[in-house]
Amino acid sequence: MGGSSLQLLTFFLFLLCTKPTLGNYWGVGDANLGCKEHERQALVKIKEDLIDDYGHLSSWSTRVGREDCCKWRGVNCNNQTGRVTQLNLSISDVEPLRGKLSPFLSELQYLTFLNVSYNDFNHTQIPKSIASLSNLRHLDFSRANFRRNIPFQLENLSSLQYLDLAWNNFNEPENLEWLRPPSSLSFLGMSSVNLSKVNNWLHVVNQLPYLTVLNLRACSLPNIFPIPHVNSSTSLDILDLSVNNLTLPSSVIEWLSNSNTSVVKLYLYDNQFQGLIPNAFSKINSLEVLSLFDNEFEGGIPKSFSGMCNLKILSLSSNNLSEQLLGIVHNLIGCANHSIEELYLDNNHIMGSFPDLTTFPSLRVLWLSENQLSGTIPESLGKQSNLEYLYIGGNPFEGVISEAHFSKLTKWKVFHIYDNSLVFNFSSNWVPPFQLDELYINNCQLPHFPKWLQTQKNYYWLDLAKSGISHTLSNSYWIFPTHLRYIDLSGNKSNGHIPNLLLESSFPFVINLHSNKLEGKIPPFVFKGSHLNLSNNTFSKLALSLCEASNNSLEFLDLSNNRLSEELPNCWMHFEGLKILKLGNNHFHGKIPSSVGSLIEIETLDLGNNNVSGELPSTLKNCTKLIFLDLQNNSLSGPIPMWLGRSHPNLAVLFLRSNHFYGRMPPHLCHLTHLQLLDLALNRITGSIPKCLNNLISLTNTKSLNAINNHSYELLSSRYVDVTIGMWKGREYEYGNNLVLVKSRDLSSNKLIGVIPEEIVMLNGLISLNLSRNLLTGKITSDIGLLHSLEVLDLSYNKHSTEYL
């Protein structure tokens, strides 16, 4: 018994001592093994060099219960050894980590996978010690805001199979010698790395025997000429040489023909290719994707393309193709027409009529927008049972579109058509066979709101602008999917009320009902989106609806040109994200509420042409980002406050015309160095014209677009200031896009005294100057003729001497 007991004890001791080995042998890790202490400390050091604004690495903690770094976010360990083998810090492209990449990464010697893409390393350098991680197979540094030199020590990573350095800010490398063999790379991404000095880049690539994916987009590549004749074992599947300065497509084809490659996806868009599309592309029989858009190819598609039996996607958008569409389609008929799923021919000069496409049974996506196609749309379109996306806008089609054109489009998702004379005629009880995601029928003839839309449950984008819809929109027409994100019915003649819908979009939605005849109360739900344009209607009630809402995501609100006749709402503290607020041309009254000062992001504020009274609230000085301020034609009073010139450094347009402002002409307005339009006419301003006018840099510049304040000019475009009323040559004009070109000062019909300051001749960019109907005296300087841009000058009804200085 003693001997047996001793043998049993020895056996149990053996099992105890060899537990990890047995576990590893059976492929079962020790659940309680945990990470190695020195690797945990290295990870802590790595975190110390990072700025984690969003708490992504909150699990990286040394608190009790959190010690096991193998359970930390982005960290993976080997089940048998507890060694850290994978580190993924690519967590969010919109909530990136910041800081720098720690050299303590080199302590993680068993790493095989490292991804730090989509972070912000603030132009720091990739640590050279990364080259000591000899087990790395996957390394992703893309879009991480690295700078300085690419460390040549990367050549030591002989096991590396995947390397992505794209979209950083590296210095221009002199060579790529660190990519020489021995190399196991199968994926190489260097997009946006400037390789203009690396004339032998192709020779280096040809020596990477395992390379299957090469992304060199936007690298300023030298042309592939002359072709280096080398024995290449490279076998590329995917090649992206887009957005470069390449001019010789035939050289690319020759290179691929000389190498042992069977490219499946070839991206050559946005280069400088000209002339006819080379026949030689058809020699690459393996091609499934050929992207040549945004070049300068002419003519049409070579007949030889018909033999590209594997071709699924052909993109020729934004070239100078001018052949008849029927000829282009004919040159694809062979076996390519059976394989093609996506065909992009938009933004060319293609002519002719819309052909019968039933010989393309696999066609899913068709882009023909912005060409010169004409005639009618054949009903055979309705037989394309696999069609999902159709873009045919910007062509002068005519005729009638009926349900027969869509009879078998069971997979149809997106339809874009605009700017033509097509008439849409559907029976009232038609039930389509499809469920759309997007419908864009703009500037066509759609006299009635499509009743069949009520059968559609999935669409999130609806644009029926300028389509002649003229009938009353009853409540039944406002039944939209709850996930609707965009609706544009502007420029029609629809009337009726908007019911209070319950849209539950997971994205901020856009509503544009501009220029209709809608009336009544504006319902609360419309203020839950990000952009709202209800201008040029006949709405009459607002305040309660607005103040029932609370939405800091609302950026654009245009209620101008309605019949809103109430006090201005005083709940703007609930809309702190507003950038554009237009309430002009209504009947608002009362004072400007102090809560307007809560709009700290506001750039355009238009309250003009109402009946607002009282003084400007001091809280308005909190709106420091203002660029456009229109308060004209109201009943505002008091002196123009000092802070107006100090708190709004970007102000480019200031309309205070036709109010009851009084007091001296404020010299602090000279602080508005970017001021382009100033209208203080028809007030009771006294005193002399300030001599500091030469501070108005915008008016001393003769350029129509002032480089000093480009952002303000963008904001003054029609995207923000759709229509603005201003005085020009004694008449009211509506400014749209041309507002950015106007530089004007109107101080007429006040009580200004003294002489016209000589500094006014320094305003070289001034186009209009109106000082009429004041009490100005003295002689008019002859140097005023130096204002070469001046088109309008009115000094009438003053007390000037008749002599010139």
Side-chain angles (χ1 to χ4, degrees):
M1 287 292 293
S4 299
S5 299
L6 182 59
Q7 289 177 341
L8 189 59
L9 178 60
T10 302
F11 177 71
F12 278 115
L13 287 173
F14 171 79
L15 287 180
L16 184 62
C17 294
T18 59
K19 178 181 177 183
T21 304
L22 289 174
N24 292 343
Y25 178 81
W26 292 109
V28 179
D30 187 346
N32 299 316
L33 192 61
C35 67
K36 301 299 181 183
E37 177 60 22
H38 76 279
E39 292 188 333
R40 185 173 70 88
Q41 291 298 329
L43 289 169
V44 171
K45 292 291 184 181
I46 291 169
K47 181 182 178 182
E48 288 176 356
D49 282 342
L50 297 174
I51 301 172
D52 184 9
D53 297 312
Y54 305 96
H56 296 310
L57 304 182
S58 58
S59 62
W60 290 33
S61 172
T62 57
R63 297 199 309 267
V64 176
R66 296 280 189 94
E67 302 95 336
D68 186 1
C69 63
C70 295
K71 297 179 180 179
W72 292 354
R73 183 175 185 177
V75 180
N76 284 333
C77 299
N78 183 287
N79 288 337
Q80 287 76 39
T81 65
R83 300 285 187 181
V84 176
T85 56
Q86 295 188 5
L87 182 59
N88 187 356
L89 297 180
S90 180
I91 297 173
S92 171
D93 58 338
V94 295
E95 298 178 348
L97 299 169
R98 297 186 295 120
K100 67 177 183 178
L101 198 57
S102 172
F104 281 93
L105 272 170
S106 61
E107 298 295 319
L108 306 178
Q109 281 294 307
Y110 292 86
L111 270 185
T112 60
F113 178 101
L114 176 60
N115 185 354
V116 297
S117 62
Y118 291 96
N119 287 302
D120 182 5
F121 292 109
N122 193 31
H123 290 181
T124 56
Q125 185 172 17
I126 296 173
K128 297 177 181 178
S129 58
I130 203 81
S132 67
L133 301 177
S134 58
N135 291 302
L136 270 178
R137 297 190 185 92
H138 183 111
L139 183 54
D140 192 341
F141 285 149
S142 64
R143 301 181 189 272
N145 201 16
F146 286 114
R147 201 166 187 172
R148 305 182 189 176
N149 295 328
I150 299 173
F152 67 87
Q153 291 86 353
L154 291 177
E155 66 182 355
N156 296 330
L157 302 177
S158 57
S159 298
L160 201 60
Q161 299 172 6
Y162 183 106
L163 176 62
D164 197 346
L165 301 170
W167 308 111
N168 284 286
N169 298 284
F170 296 120
N171 296 337
E172 298 179 25
E174 298 287 339
N175 59 70
L176 296 177
E177 300 304 315
W178 51 273
L179 283 173
R180 297 279 187 178
S183 174
S184 302
L185 277 179
S186 62
F187 179 103
L188 176 59
M190 296 186 68
S191 295
S192 85
V193 178
N194 191 330
L195 300 178
S196 59
K197 297 180 181 179
V198 187
N199 292 314
N200 69 335
W201 67 269
L202 184 54
H203 181 71
V204 174
V205 167
N206 278 331
Q207 292 186 330
L208 301 176
Y210 302 104
L211 196 64
T212 59
V213 179
L214 177 62
N215 288 336
L216 297 180
R217 191 188 316 169
C219 291
S220 299
L221 291 173
N223 262 308
I224 307 175
F225 186 83
I227 299 296
H229 294 282
V230 296
N231 293 323
S232 172
S233 58
T234 299
S235 182
L236 290 172
D237 293 330
I238 300 175
L239 175 62
D240 189 346
L241 302 181
S242 304
V243 197
N244 281 290
N245 301 316
L246 303 178
T247 60
L248 301 170
S250 57
S251 296
V252 178
I253 301 170
E254 185 178 348
W255 164 44
L256 295 176
S257 300
N258 288 341
S259 59
N260 299 322
T261 188
S262 299
V263 175
V264 175
K265 299 179 180 180
L266 179 57
Y267 301 94
L268 297 174
Y269 62 83
D270 198 2
N271 277 288
Q272 299 178 21
F273 300 142
Q274 298 178 348
L276 299 176
I277 300 172
N279 279 292
F281 277 119
S282 61
K283 295 180 181 178
I284 311 176
N285 295 322
S286 54
L287 270 181
E288 295 182 7
V289 177
L290 177 58
S291 181
L292 301 174
F293 74 83
D294 204 2
N295 280 285
E296 297 180 33
F297 285 120
E298 302 170 357
I301 295 176
K303 176 61 178 175
S304 59
F305 274 39
S306 64
M308 301 177 71
C309 301
N310 294 306
L311 192 62
K312 294 182 179 179
I313 299 175
L314 177 60
S315 177
L316 293 167
S317 304
S318 301
N319 278 278
N320 295 318
L321 302 182
S322 56
E323 189 176 341
Q324 295 279 322
L325 181 57
L326 185 61
I328 291 175
V329 169
H330 179 74
N331 285 348
L332 289 172
I333 294 178
C335 62
N337 58 300
H338 292 283
S339 62
I340 286 182
E341 298 179 3
E342 301 179 22
L343 182 59
Y344 301 88
L345 298 172
D346 52 297
N347 289 284
N348 280 284
H349 308 292
I350 299 172
M351 300 177 290
S353 58
F354 197 107
D356 185 337
L357 295 174
T358 53
T359 52
F360 292 76
S362 302
L363 195 62
R364 295 175 42 252
V365 180
L366 179 61
W367 284 67
L368 296 174
S369 304
E370 301 295 335
N371 278 288
Q372 299 173 20
L373 302 173
S374 58
T376 60
I377 308 282
E379 291 186 358
S380 60
L381 176 66
K383 298 178 182 179
Q384 302 291 138
S385 58
N386 286 308
L387 193 64
E388 298 180 26
Y389 302 87
L390 180 61
Y391 297 80
I392 55 175
N395 291 290
F397 292 122
E398 56 188 10
V400 177
I401 292 287
S402 68
E403 54 260 42
H405 288 82
F406 314 119
S407 58
K408 295 183 180 179
L409 304 187
T410 57
K411 299 179 181 180
W412 206 23
K413 295 179 180 179
V414 175
F415 184 35
H416 277 228
I417 188 168
Y418 53 87
D419 295 345
N420 52 58
S421 301
L422 286 170
V423 177
F424 288 79
N425 185 16
F426 303 103
S427 60
S428 59
N429 59 351
W430 179 52
V431 178
F434 49 77
Q435 286 290 324
L436 287 175
D437 292 336
E438 295 182 20
L439 178 61
Y440 187 101
I441 303 178
N442 190 302
N443 199 21
C444 298
Q445 296 183 43
L446 190 68
H448 300 289
F449 195 87
K451 196 169 183 179
W452 58 264
L453 271 178
Q454 297 177 21
T455 68
Q456 302 296 293
K457 309 301 180 183
N458 299 331
Y459 70 92
Y460 60 86
W461 188 288
L462 177 63
D463 190 332
L464 303 178
K466 294 178 289 186
S467 294
I469 300 174
S470 59
H471 64 295
T472 300
L473 297 181
S474 60
N475 284 5
S476 62
Y477 286 102
W478 295 96
I479 300 175
F480 300 116
T482 56
H483 53 272
L484 187 67
R485 299 192 335 232
Y486 183 100
I487 179 171
D488 188 348
L489 303 179
S490 64
N492 287 294
K493 300 178 181 179
S494 301
N495 55 47
H497 296 73
I498 304 178
N500 191 18
L501 306 178
L502 297 176
L503 295 184
E504 299 176 357
S505 173
S506 57
F507 296 89
F509 52 87
V510 175
I511 298 178
N512 187 0
L513 303 178
H514 164 74
S515 295
N516 279 282
K517 297 180 180 179
L518 300 169
E519 60 187 357
K521 179 182 177 181
I522 300 175
F525 85 91
V526 298
F527 301 108
K528 294 292 186 180
S530 61
H531 290 69
L532 173 63
N533 189 346
L534 301 181
S535 61
N536 291 86
N537 281 283
T538 57
F539 292 111
S540 56
K541 295 182 180 180
L542 163 69
L544 289 177
S545 297
L546 178 70
C547 294
E548 286 177 14
S550 178
N551 179 15
N552 288 328
S553 297
L554 183 62
E555 295 183 6
F556 182 104
L557 177 58
D558 189 349
L559 304 179
S560 61
N561 294 288
N562 277 285
R563 297 178 182 175
L564 300 168
S565 56
E566 53 198 277
E567 289 191 359
L568 285 170
N570 191 18
C571 50
W572 300 109
M573 70 288 291
H574 302 312
F575 300 92
E576 292 182 355
L578 261 178
K579 294 182 178 179
I580 312 295
L581 175 58
K582 299 187 67 178
L583 301 177
N585 292 293
N586 279 287
H587 305 292
F588 287 113
H589 55 84
K591 296 183 177 181
I592 298 177
S594 59
S595 62
V596 167
S598 302
L599 302 177
I600 57 177
E601 300 294 329
I602 197 76
E603 295 171 346
T604 291
L605 177 59
D606 180 2
L607 303 178
N609 297 288
N610 282 287
N611 193 29
V612 180
S613 59
E615 298 187 0
L616 297 182
S618 61
T619 56
L620 195 60
K621 64 185 178 184
N622 299 332
C623 305
T624 58
K625 297 183 179 181
L626 266 176
I627 293 174
F628 180 99
L629 179 59
D630 186 352
L631 302 175
Q632 65 182 314
N633 294 317
N634 279 288
S635 299
L636 296 166
S637 59
I640 298 176
M642 295 286 289
W643 46 259
L644 189 58
R646 295 173 177 170
S647 301
H648 307 98
N650 297 317
L651 200 63
V653 175
L654 177 60
F655 290 150
L656 300 180
R657 179 186 186 86
S658 190
N659 278 284
H660 305 302
F661 291 112
Y662 56 82
R664 298 184 65 82
M665 176 71 183
H668 47 279
L669 292 182
C670 292
H671 293 295
L672 300 174
T673 56
H674 302 308
L675 193 62
Q676 184 170 317
L677 279 86
L678 174 64
D679 192 342
L680 303 180
L682 292 165
N683 282 285
R684 291 180 289 169
I685 297 171
T686 59
S688 59
I689 299 175
K691 294 184 178 182
C692 55
L693 297 176
N694 54 322
N695 290 343
L696 302 179
I697 299 173
S698 179
L699 297 183
T700 62
N701 192 328
T702 57
K703 294 181 179 180
S704 59
L705 295 179
N706 186 354
I708 296 173
N709 201 16
N710 281 336
H711 183 53
S712 69
Y713 288 95
E714 179 185 353
L715 292 172
L716 294 180
S717 67
S718 61
R719 185 160 59 99
Y720 290 92
V721 185
D722 189 20
V723 174
T724 297
I725 304 297
M727 294 300 296
W728 179 252
K729 299 184 179 181
R731 297 174 55 190
E732 281 191 348
Y733 280 86
E734 291 185 347
Y735 297 121
N737 289 351
N738 60 350
L739 181 64
V740 300
L741 304 177
V742 180
K743 296 183 178 183
S744 170
R745 285 174 65 91
D746 192 343
L747 307 179
S748 63
S749 299
N750 280 287
K751 297 181 179 181
L752 298 173
I753 61 173
V755 300
I756 299 175
E758 294 182 6
E759 288 79 3
I760 206 164
V761 301
M762 301 179 68
L763 304 181
N764 299 323
L766 200 61
I767 295 176
S768 174
L769 176 63
N770 189 349
L771 301 177
S772 66
R773 300 181 186 276
N774 279 287
L775 304 173
L776 299 173
T777 57
K779 297 179 180 180
I780 302 172
T781 174
S782 60
D783 289 343
I784 206 164
L786 298 175
L787 298 175
H788 299 300
S789 300
L790 198 64
E791 296 184 14
V792 178
L793 174 64
D794 192 348
L795 304 177
S796 63
Y797 296 99
N798 278 287
K799 297 183 177 183
H800 292 120
S801 168
T802 56
E803 298 181 5
Y804 287 102
L805 288 176

